Amino acid sequence: MLTEGLVAKWRQLIAEDPRSIAEICRAINKDRSWYNTLKPGRDPGAFTVMALARELRVPIHELLEEEGAISLSSDSCYSEQVNQQASKVLSDVFRVAHNRLQRYGHEATAASNSTLPLLLQWWHDQRGCLIGHDMLADRFDIIKAPETGDKIVTPAKVGARSLAAQMLGTDSADALLQLVRTFDRESQERLISSYREVSDSGRPALSAPISARITTPHDAKSIHVEYFRLQLPVVAPSGDKFVLSYCFPV
């Protein structure tokens, strides 16, 4: 969602462009009236953000970060391997996602179209650093990278609009943790293994379709859920490693 600071920043960047507002709007396939819709609380849409960044010739995170937001020097970012492989990873995950979504229908494509490309582009631009993600944070969950000996995956934050929040009816990380504790031992071990592998490799992973019947901690009634899971390895400014989990329904 746009904030007052982001609206001001977008308007300033557009004003500094030598083209007219109408010309910029046409370049991103919008009417001139689109400019007047730039107000706090509005969701501009993933593809619009990407198109505007391209037209204004600025990194996409420039449109997602307010002035004064935390920044890191390049040597504080995740690993050089992430930087070197980012473009290939982005291409590979897009290709796999496209193939799997085509196979499993248009509903999944529609559900992921607005977030998946922007999330991957953000990861690519930030080289795996957990910064500049405010406009996307409500779409995914943040999971602590498992360490050797961990017996359970520990959620650090649940996005208010993530699949987990929708399923649980709350964005409480503790509620998600309680749900994970209801999984059988084998399922928990597979979950730990998948998150550790992503964190250790520094490469995103897109799951095959996952089918689960889950009994939520606050309701005895089971819920059948089918979804894809995109995992993105990141490191916070503190140096702690996490994995972003973006799930979307099949």
Side-chain angles (χ1 to χ4, degrees), residues 114-237:
S114 63
T115 302
L116 187 61
L118 185 55
L119 189 56
L120 287 166
Q121 185 67 55
W122 164 82
W123 182 87
H124 175 279
D125 287 347
Q126 298 295 357
R127 301 184 178 95
C129 299
L130 188 56
I131 55 175
H133 59 289
D134 292 350
M135 284 185 66
L136 297 166
D138 62 349
R139 308 296 180 93
F140 54 73
D141 307 317
I142 301 179
I143 310 298
K144 293 181 181 179
E147 298 179 358
T148 302
D150 283 355
K151 302 298 184 182
I152 196 168
V153 165
T154 305
K157 186 175 181 180
V158 174
R161 297 169 64 187
S162 72
L163 186 62
Q166 294 175 42
M167 181 179 64
L168 294 170
T170 175
D171 60 359
S172 165
D174 185 62
L176 182 54
L177 177 60
Q178 295 304 318
L179 174 61
V180 173
R181 283 176 173 160
T182 68
F183 295 176
D184 59 60
R185 184 71 260 159
E186 183 179 352
S187 297
Q188 290 190 18
E189 289 175 353
R190 285 200 303 267
L191 200 59
I192 291 172
S193 178
S194 70
Y195 279 102
R196 182 185 293 122
E197 182 177 344
V198 168
S199 181
D200 290 346
S201 69
R203 292 175 60 89
L206 181 69
S207 74
I210 299 169
S211 180
R213 187 167 295 279
I214 300 169
T215 300
T216 66
H218 308 294
D219 192 343
K221 184 179 179 180
S222 64
I223 302 172
H224 182 245
V225 182
E226 291 184 287
Y227 60 96
F228 294 95
R229 181 175 62 226
L230 174 67
Q231 297 166 299
L232 297 171
V234 293
V235 65

Side-chain angles (χ1 to χ4, degrees), residues 66-84:
E66 293 194 54
E67 296 298 332
I70 190 167
S71 61
L72 299 177
S73 59
S74 59
D75 60 358
S76 297
C77 289
Y78 198 5
S79 68
E80 286 305 312
Q81 183 180 9
V82 171
N83 183 28
Q84 294 167 3

Side-chain angles (χ1 to χ4, degrees), residues 23-31 34 48 51 54-55:
E23 288 174 319
I24 293 175
C25 289
R26 283 197 298 272
I28 62 173
N29 295 316
K30 298 290 184 181
D31 294 330
W34 170 82
T48 298
R54 182 189 66 242
E55 289 299 320

Side-chain angles (χ1 to χ4, degrees), residues 37-72:
T37 69
L38 295 180
K39 298 177 181 179
R42 293 295 299 272
D43 184 352
F47 289 106
T48 298
V49 174
M50 296 174 72
L52 187 61
R54 182 189 66 242
E55 289 299 320
L56 298 178
R57 296 181 176 82
V58 297
I60 198 167
H61 67 80
E62 283 287 316
L63 300 182
L64 303 179
E65 275 185 354
E66 293 194 54
E67 296 298 332
I70 190 167
S71 61
L72 299 177

